[in-house]
PDB file of all heavy atoms in Angstrom:
ATOM      1  N   PHE A  14      95.734 114.688 105.853  1.00 97.00           N
ATOM      2  CA  PHE A  14      96.452 113.420 105.929  1.00 97.00           C
ATOM      3  C   PHE A  14      95.399 112.320 105.824  1.00 97.00           C
ATOM      4  O   PHE A  14      94.433 112.304 106.580  1.00 97.00           O
ATOM      5  CB  PHE A  14      97.200 113.355 107.257  1.00 97.00           C
ATOM      6  CG  PHE A  14      98.143 112.198 107.422  1.00 97.00           C
ATOM      7  CD1 PHE A  14      98.392 111.284 106.417  1.00 97.00           C
ATOM      8  CD2 PHE A  14      98.814 112.028 108.616  1.00 97.00           C
ATOM      9  CE1 PHE A  14      99.279 110.232 106.582  1.00 97.00           C
ATOM     10  CE2 PHE A  14      99.700 110.987 108.814  1.00 97.00           C
ATOM     11  CZ  PHE A  14      99.928 110.085 107.801  1.00 97.00           C
ATOM     12  N   GLY A  15      95.568 111.404 104.890  1.00 95.00           N
ATOM     13  CA  GLY A  15      94.543 110.418 104.597  1.00 95.00           C
ATOM     14  C   GLY A  15      94.559 109.156 105.425  1.00 95.00           C
ATOM     15  O   GLY A  15      93.636 108.361 105.339  1.00 95.00           O
ATOM     16  N   SER A  16      95.568 108.935 106.231  1.00 92.00           N
ATOM     17  CA  SER A  16      95.688 107.649 106.920  1.00 92.00           C
ATOM     18  C   SER A  16      95.326 107.732 108.394  1.00 92.00           C
ATOM     19  O   SER A  16      95.819 108.590 109.114  1.00 92.00           O
ATOM     20  CB  SER A  16      97.117 107.126 106.806  1.00 92.00           C
ATOM     21  OG  SER A  16      97.255 105.915 107.518  1.00 92.00           O
ATOM     22  N   ALA A  17      94.481 106.800 108.827  1.00 91.00           N
ATOM     23  CA  ALA A  17      94.201 106.647 110.254  1.00 91.00           C
ATOM     24  C   ALA A  17      94.808 105.354 110.780  1.00 91.00           C
ATOM     25  O   ALA A  17      94.675 105.031 111.951  1.00 91.00           O
ATOM     26  CB  ALA A  17      92.698 106.655 110.506  1.00 91.00           C
ATOM     27  N   LYS A  18      95.479 104.626 109.897  1.00 88.00           N
ATOM     28  CA  LYS A  18      96.108 103.364 110.318  1.00 88.00           C
ATOM     29  C   LYS A  18      97.201 103.684 111.328  1.00 88.00           C
ATOM     30  O   LYS A  18      97.990 104.601 111.136  1.00 88.00           O
ATOM     31  CB  LYS A  18      96.708 102.654 109.099  1.00 88.00           C
ATOM     32  CG  LYS A  18      97.359 101.327 109.440  1.00 88.00           C
ATOM     33  CD  LYS A  18      97.869 100.638 108.186  1.00 88.00           C
ATOM     34  CE  LYS A  18      99.168 101.183 107.733  1.00 88.00           C
ATOM     35  NZ  LYS A  18     100.362 100.638 108.247  1.00 88.00           N
ATOM     36  N   ASN A  19      97.235 102.931 112.402  1.00 88.00           N
ATOM     37  CA  ASN A  19      98.236 103.178 113.431  1.00 88.00           C
ATOM     38  C   ASN A  19      98.635 101.861 114.087  1.00 88.00           C
ATOM     39  O   ASN A  19      98.547 101.709 115.293  1.00 88.00           O
ATOM     40  CB  ASN A  19      97.693 104.163 114.474  1.00 88.00           C
ATOM     41  CG  ASN A  19      98.796 104.714 115.337  1.00 88.00           C
ATOM     42  OD1 ASN A  19      99.963 104.697 114.967  1.00 88.00           O
ATOM     43  ND2 ASN A  19      98.428 105.219 116.497  1.00 88.00           N
ATOM     44  N   VAL A  20      99.061 100.920 113.254  1.00 90.00           N
ATOM     45  CA  VAL A  20      99.458  99.611 113.763  1.00 90.00           C
ATOM     46  C   VAL A  20     100.658  99.131 112.943  1.00 90.00           C
ATOM     47  O   VAL A  20     100.713  99.324 111.736  1.00 90.00           O
ATOM     48  CB  VAL A  20      98.283  98.611 113.702  1.00 90.00           C
ATOM     49  CG1 VAL A  20      97.810  98.385 112.287  1.00 90.00           C
ATOM     50  CG2 VAL A  20      98.630  97.308 114.362  1.00 90.00           C
ATOM     51  N   ILE A  21     101.604  98.520 113.618  1.00 90.00           N
ATOM     52  CA  ILE A  21     102.769  97.966 112.919  1.00 90.00           C
ATOM     53  C   ILE A  21     102.376  96.612 112.339  1.00 90.00           C
ATOM     54  O   ILE A  21     101.874  95.748 113.061  1.00 90.00           O
ATOM     55  CB  ILE A  21     103.972  97.821 113.875  1.00 90.00           C
ATOM     56  CG1 ILE A  21     104.401  99.209 114.368  1.00 90.00           C
ATOM     57  CG2 ILE A  21     105.127  97.110 113.178  1.00 90.00           C
ATOM     58  CD1 ILE A  21     105.449  99.194 115.443  1.00 90.00           C
ATOM     59  N   PRO A  22     102.566  96.422 111.031  1.00 86.00           N
ATOM     60  CA  PRO A  22     102.197  95.136 110.433  1.00 86.00           C
ATOM     61  C   PRO A  22     103.070  94.000 110.963  1.00 86.00           C
ATOM     62  O   PRO A  22     104.181  94.236 111.458  1.00 86.00           O
ATOM     63  CB  PRO A  22     102.417  95.351 108.936  1.00 86.00           C
ATOM     64  CG  PRO A  22     103.270  96.560 108.811  1.00 86.00           C
ATOM     65  CD  PRO A  22     103.131  97.358 110.065  1.00 86.00           C
ATOM     66  N   GLY A  26     108.047  97.336 110.113  1.00 84.00           N
ATOM     67  CA  GLY A  26     107.942  98.608 109.404  1.00 84.00           C
ATOM     68  C   GLY A  26     107.269  99.666 110.250  1.00 84.00           C
ATOM     69  O   GLY A  26     107.088  99.508 111.453  1.00 84.00           O
ATOM     70  N   ASP A  27     106.902 100.738 109.598  1.00 86.00           N
ATOM     71  CA  ASP A  27     106.271 101.870 110.270  1.00 86.00           C
ATOM     72  C   ASP A  27     104.812 101.581 110.591  1.00 86.00           C
ATOM     73  O   ASP A  27     104.131 100.891 109.836  1.00 86.00           O
ATOM     74  CB  ASP A  27     106.310 103.113 109.371  1.00 86.00           C
ATOM     75  CG  ASP A  27     107.722 103.586 109.061  1.00 86.00           C
ATOM     76  OD1 ASP A  27     108.594 103.401 109.926  1.00 86.00           O
ATOM     77  OD2 ASP A  27     107.933 104.141 107.976  1.00 86.00           O
ATOM     78  N   ALA A  28     104.328 102.155 111.702  1.00 87.00           N
ATOM     79  CA  ALA A  28     102.903 102.086 111.997  1.00 87.00           C
ATOM     80  C   ALA A  28     102.132 102.896 110.948  1.00 87.00           C
ATOM     81  O   ALA A  28     101.074 102.490 110.505  1.00 87.00           O
ATOM     82  CB  ALA A  28     102.613 102.615 113.395  1.00 87.00           C
ATOM     83  N   ARG A  29     102.676 104.037 110.580  1.00 89.00           N
ATOM     84  CA  ARG A  29     102.076 104.861 109.523  1.00 89.00           C
ATOM     85  C   ARG A  29     103.186 105.336 108.600  1.00 89.00           C
ATOM     86  O   ARG A  29     103.905 106.271 108.904  1.00 89.00           O
ATOM     87  CB  ARG A  29     101.343 106.065 110.089  1.00 89.00           C
ATOM     88  CG  ARG A  29     100.042 105.711 110.732  1.00 89.00           C
ATOM     89  CD  ARG A  29      99.021 106.825 110.759  1.00 89.00           C
ATOM     90  NE  ARG A  29      99.462 108.069 111.350  1.00 89.00           N
ATOM     91  CZ  ARG A  29      98.695 109.156 111.400  1.00 89.00           C
ATOM     92  NH1 ARG A  29      97.490 109.156 110.897  1.00 89.00           N
ATOM     93  NH2 ARG A  29      99.141 110.250 111.946  1.00 89.00           N
ATOM     94  N   LEU A  30     103.286 104.709 107.464  1.00 87.00           N
ATOM     95  CA  LEU A  30     104.269 105.095 106.454  1.00 87.00           C
ATOM     96  C   LEU A  30     104.091 106.564 106.082  1.00 87.00           C
ATOM     97  O   LEU A  30     105.046 107.285 105.827  1.00 87.00           O
ATOM     98  CB  LEU A  30     104.113 104.208 105.212  1.00 87.00           C
ATOM     99  CG  LEU A  30     105.017 104.481 104.024  1.00 87.00           C
ATOM    100  CD1 LEU A  30     106.471 104.264 104.408  1.00 87.00           C
ATOM    101  CD2 LEU A  30     104.632 103.575 102.857  1.00 87.00           C
ATOM    102  N   GLY A  31     102.862 107.013 106.110  1.00 92.00           N
ATOM    103  CA  GLY A  31     102.552 108.383 105.722  1.00 92.00           C
ATOM    104  C   GLY A  31     103.120 109.448 106.620  1.00 92.00           C
ATOM    105  O   GLY A  31     103.241 110.606 106.209  1.00 92.00           O
ATOM    106  N   ASP A  32     103.479 109.114 107.867  1.00 94.00           N
ATOM    107  CA  ASP A  32     104.083 110.125 108.746  1.00 94.00           C
ATOM    108  C   ASP A  32     105.312 110.738 108.094  1.00 94.00           C
ATOM    109  O   ASP A  32     105.514 111.953 108.138  1.00 94.00           O
ATOM    110  CB  ASP A  32     104.459 109.516 110.100  1.00 94.00           C
ATOM    111  CG  ASP A  32     103.256 109.263 110.995  1.00 94.00           C
ATOM    112  OD1 ASP A  32     102.199 109.893 110.775  1.00 94.00           O
ATOM    113  OD2 ASP A  32     103.380 108.431 111.914  1.00 94.00           O
ATOM    114  N   ARG A  33     106.125 109.887 107.467  1.00 93.00           N
ATOM    115  CA  ARG A  33     107.331 110.393 106.795  1.00 93.00           C
ATOM    116  C   ARG A  33     106.969 111.273 105.601  1.00 93.00           C
ATOM    117  O   ARG A  33     107.607 112.286 105.346  1.00 93.00           O
ATOM    118  CB  ARG A  33     108.224 109.242 106.345  1.00 93.00           C
ATOM    119  CG  ARG A  33     108.919 108.562 107.496  1.00 93.00           C
ATOM    120  CD  ARG A  33     109.930 107.563 107.009  1.00 93.00           C
ATOM    121  NE  ARG A  33     109.247 106.313 106.679  1.00 93.00           N
ATOM    122  CZ  ARG A  33     109.723 105.412 105.843  1.00 93.00           C
ATOM    123  NH1 ARG A  33     110.863 105.602 105.228  1.00 93.00           N
ATOM    124  NH2 ARG A  33     109.056 104.297 105.618  1.00 93.00           N
ATOM    125  N   VAL A  34     105.943 110.864 104.871  1.00 94.00           N
ATOM    126  CA  VAL A  34     105.523 111.617 103.693  1.00 94.00           C
ATOM    127  C   VAL A  34     104.982 112.985 104.104  1.00 94.00           C
ATOM    128  O   VAL A  34     105.330 114.011 103.515  1.00 94.00           O
ATOM    129  CB  VAL A  34     104.481 110.835 102.864  1.00 94.00           C
ATOM    130  CG1 VAL A  34     104.048 111.628 101.641  1.00 94.00           C
ATOM    131  CG2 VAL A  34     105.017 109.463 102.463  1.00 94.00           C
ATOM    132  N   VAL A  35     104.136 113.016 105.133  1.00 96.00           N
ATOM    133  CA  VAL A  35     103.570 114.280 105.605  1.00 96.00           C
ATOM    134  C   VAL A  35     104.665 115.211 106.122  1.00 96.00           C
ATOM    135  O   VAL A  35     104.640 116.418 105.844  1.00 96.00           O
ATOM    136  CB  VAL A  35     102.478 114.039 106.678  1.00 96.00           C
ATOM    137  CG1 VAL A  35     102.106 115.320 107.393  1.00 96.00           C
ATOM    138  CG2 VAL A  35     101.254 113.421 106.034  1.00 96.00           C
ATOM    139  N   LYS A  36     105.636 114.683 106.837  1.00 96.00           N
ATOM    140  CA  LYS A  36     106.751 115.514 107.318  1.00 96.00           C
ATOM    141  C   LYS A  36     107.521 116.110 106.146  1.00 96.00           C
ATOM    142  O   LYS A  36     107.913 117.277 106.174  1.00 96.00           O
ATOM    143  CB  LYS A  36     107.689 114.702 108.218  1.00 96.00           C
ATOM    144  CG  LYS A  36     107.117 114.442 109.584  1.00 96.00           C
ATOM    145  CD  LYS A  36     108.050 113.580 110.421  1.00 96.00           C
ATOM    146  CE  LYS A  36     107.376 113.193 111.716  1.00 96.00           C
ATOM    147  NZ  LYS A  36     108.118 112.203 112.462  1.00 96.00           N
ATOM    148  N   ILE A  64      98.209 120.947 109.305  1.00 98.00           N
ATOM    149  CA  ILE A  64      98.039 119.522 109.029  1.00 98.00           C
ATOM    150  C   ILE A  64      96.753 119.059 109.724  1.00 98.00           C
ATOM    151  O   ILE A  64      96.575 119.293 110.925  1.00 98.00           O
ATOM    152  CB  ILE A  64      99.221 118.684 109.571  1.00 98.00           C
ATOM    153  CG1 ILE A  64     100.565 119.221 109.084  1.00 98.00           C
ATOM    154  CG2 ILE A  64      99.033 117.198 109.255  1.00 98.00           C
ATOM    155  CD1 ILE A  64     100.858 119.003 107.642  1.00 98.00           C
ATOM    156  N   ILE A  65      95.879 118.406 108.981  1.00 98.00           N
ATOM    157  CA  ILE A  65      94.661 117.849 109.567  1.00 98.00           C
ATOM    158  C   ILE A  65      94.785 116.328 109.498  1.00 98.00           C
ATOM    159  O   ILE A  65      94.772 115.744 108.422  1.00 98.00           O
ATOM    160  CB  ILE A  65      93.396 118.358 108.849  1.00 98.00           C
ATOM    161  CG1 ILE A  65      93.342 119.890 108.946  1.00 98.00           C
ATOM    162  CG2 ILE A  65      92.155 117.719 109.453  1.00 98.00           C
ATOM    163  CD1 ILE A  65      92.156 120.520 108.262  1.00 98.00           C
ATOM    164  N   ASP A  66      94.926 115.719 110.665  1.00 97.00           N
ATOM    165  CA  ASP A  66      95.207 114.289 110.801  1.00 97.00           C
ATOM    166  C   ASP A  66      93.980 113.578 111.367  1.00 97.00           C
ATOM    167  O   ASP A  66      93.488 113.948 112.438  1.00 97.00           O
ATOM    168  CB  ASP A  66      96.403 114.129 111.744  1.00 97.00           C
ATOM    169  CG  ASP A  66      96.862 112.702 111.929  1.00 97.00           C
ATOM    170  OD1 ASP A  66      96.089 111.761 111.665  1.00 97.00           O
ATOM    171  OD2 ASP A  66      98.006 112.521 112.371  1.00 97.00           O
ATOM    172  N   PRO A  67      93.461 112.557 110.666  1.00 96.00           N
ATOM    173  CA  PRO A  67      92.270 111.871 111.170  1.00 96.00           C
ATOM    174  C   PRO A  67      92.449 111.215 112.539  1.00 96.00           C
ATOM    175  O   PRO A  67      91.480 111.090 113.287  1.00 96.00           O
ATOM    176  CB  PRO A  67      91.951 110.836 110.092  1.00 96.00           C
ATOM    177  CG  PRO A  67      93.175 110.698 109.284  1.00 96.00           C
ATOM    178  CD  PRO A  67      93.932 111.972 109.415  1.00 96.00           C
ATOM    179  N   LEU A  68      93.667 110.818 112.888  1.00 94.00           N
ATOM    180  CA  LEU A  68      93.872 110.244 114.224  1.00 94.00           C
ATOM    181  C   LEU A  68      93.563 111.267 115.313  1.00 94.00           C
ATOM    182  O   LEU A  68      93.054 110.924 116.380  1.00 94.00           O
ATOM    183  CB  LEU A  68      95.305 109.728 114.387  1.00 94.00           C
ATOM    184  CG  LEU A  68      95.617 108.379 113.772  1.00 94.00           C
ATOM    185  CD1 LEU A  68      97.063 107.980 114.054  1.00 94.00           C
ATOM    186  CD2 LEU A  68      94.675 107.296 114.262  1.00 94.00           C
ATOM    187  N   GLN A  69      93.868 112.521 115.044  1.00 95.00           N
ATOM    188  CA  GLN A  69      93.576 113.575 116.018  1.00 95.00           C
ATOM    189  C   GLN A  69      92.122 114.035 115.919  1.00 95.00           C
ATOM    190  O   GLN A  69      91.447 114.199 116.926  1.00 95.00           O
ATOM    191  CB  GLN A  69      94.517 114.758 115.803  1.00 95.00           C
ATOM    192  CG  GLN A  69      95.952 114.434 116.085  1.00 95.00           C
ATOM    193  CD  GLN A  69      96.897 115.547 115.644  1.00 95.00           C
ATOM    194  OE1 GLN A  69      96.491 116.539 115.060  1.00 95.00           O
ATOM    195  NE2 GLN A  69      98.177 115.352 115.910  1.00 95.00           N
ATOM    196  N   VAL A  70      91.644 114.235 114.708  1.00 96.00           N
ATOM    197  CA  VAL A  70      90.299 114.776 114.506  1.00 96.00           C
ATOM    198  C   VAL A  70      89.214 113.821 115.007  1.00 96.00           C
ATOM    199  O   VAL A  70      88.249 114.246 115.633  1.00 96.00           O
ATOM    200  CB  VAL A  70      90.087 115.117 113.011  1.00 96.00           C
ATOM    201  CG1 VAL A  70      88.646 115.480 112.719  1.00 96.00           C
ATOM    202  CG2 VAL A  70      91.007 116.244 112.592  1.00 96.00           C
ATOM    203  N   VAL A 117      97.402 114.301 101.232  1.00 96.00           N
ATOM    204  CA  VAL A 117      98.479 113.317 101.299  1.00 96.00           C
ATOM    205  C   VAL A 117      97.840 112.020 101.750  1.00 96.00           C
ATOM    206  O   VAL A 117      97.299 111.940 102.853  1.00 96.00           O
ATOM    207  CB  VAL A 117      99.581 113.756 102.282  1.00 96.00           C
ATOM    208  CG1 VAL A 117     100.664 112.698 102.379  1.00 96.00           C
ATOM    209  CG2 VAL A 117     100.172 115.092 101.865  1.00 96.00           C
ATOM    210  N   PRO A 119      97.549 107.453 101.476  1.00 93.00           N
ATOM    211  CA  PRO A 119      97.920 106.131 100.995  1.00 93.00           C
ATOM    212  C   PRO A 119      96.824 105.614 100.073  1.00 93.00           C
ATOM    213  O   PRO A 119      95.781 106.254  99.904  1.00 93.00           O
ATOM    214  CB  PRO A 119      97.978 105.293 102.273  1.00 93.00           C
ATOM    215  CG  PRO A 119      96.923 105.903 103.135  1.00 93.00           C
ATOM    216  CD  PRO A 119      96.991 107.379 102.834  1.00 93.00           C
ATOM    217  N   TYR A 121      94.300 102.529  99.853  1.00 89.00           N
ATOM    218  CA  TYR A 121      93.727 101.400 100.586  1.00 89.00           C
ATOM    219  C   TYR A 121      92.809 100.648  99.631  1.00 89.00           C
ATOM    220  O   TYR A 121      91.831 101.235  99.133  1.00 89.00           O
ATOM    221  CB  TYR A 121      92.904 101.866 101.781  1.00 89.00           C
ATOM    222  CG  TYR A 121      93.683 102.339 102.984  1.00 89.00           C
ATOM    223  CD1 TYR A 121      95.077 102.365 103.004  1.00 89.00           C
ATOM    224  CD2 TYR A 121      93.023 102.780 104.111  1.00 89.00           C
ATOM    225  CE1 TYR A 121      95.767 102.809 104.110  1.00 89.00           C
ATOM    226  CE2 TYR A 121      93.710 103.233 105.224  1.00 89.00           C
ATOM    227  CZ  TYR A 121      95.083 103.239 105.222  1.00 89.00           C
ATOM    228  OH  TYR A 121      95.763 103.684 106.319  1.00 89.00           O
ATOM    229  N   ALA A 128      89.050 107.045 106.198  1.00 94.00           N
ATOM    230  CA  ALA A 128      89.255 108.189 107.092  1.00 94.00           C
ATOM    231  C   ALA A 128      89.331 109.495 106.306  1.00 94.00           C
ATOM    232  O   ALA A 128      88.786 110.515 106.740  1.00 94.00           O
ATOM    233  CB  ALA A 128      90.530 107.994 107.919  1.00 94.00           C
ATOM    234  N   TYR A 151     100.993 107.724  98.171  1.00 90.00           N
ATOM    235  CA  TYR A 151     102.126 106.839  98.417  1.00 90.00           C
ATOM    236  C   TYR A 151     101.611 105.441  98.654  1.00 90.00           C
ATOM    237  O   TYR A 151     100.456 105.239  99.035  1.00 90.00           O
ATOM    238  CB  TYR A 151     102.950 107.323  99.618  1.00 90.00           C
ATOM    239  CG  TYR A 151     102.151 107.409 100.898  1.00 90.00           C
ATOM    240  CD1 TYR A 151     102.082 106.322 101.761  1.00 90.00           C
ATOM    241  CD2 TYR A 151     101.466 108.566 101.231  1.00 90.00           C
ATOM    242  CE1 TYR A 151     101.349 106.385 102.925  1.00 90.00           C
ATOM    243  CE2 TYR A 151     100.723 108.643 102.399  1.00 90.00           C
ATOM    244  CZ  TYR A 151     100.668 107.548 103.239  1.00 90.00           C
ATOM    245  OH  TYR A 151      99.932 107.613 104.390  1.00 90.00           O
TER     246      TYR A 151
END
Side-chain angles (χ1 to χ4, degrees):
F14 188 4
S16 177
K18 181 177 80 88
N19 195 21
V20 62
I21 296 172
D27 297 329
R29 286 206 306 177
L30 178 63
D32 285 339
R33 288 188 278 157
V34 180
V35 167
K36 285 177 187 171
I64 307 289
I65 301 179
D66 183 340
L68 281 182
Q69 294 170 356
V70 171
V117 178
Y121 284 1
Y151 59 91

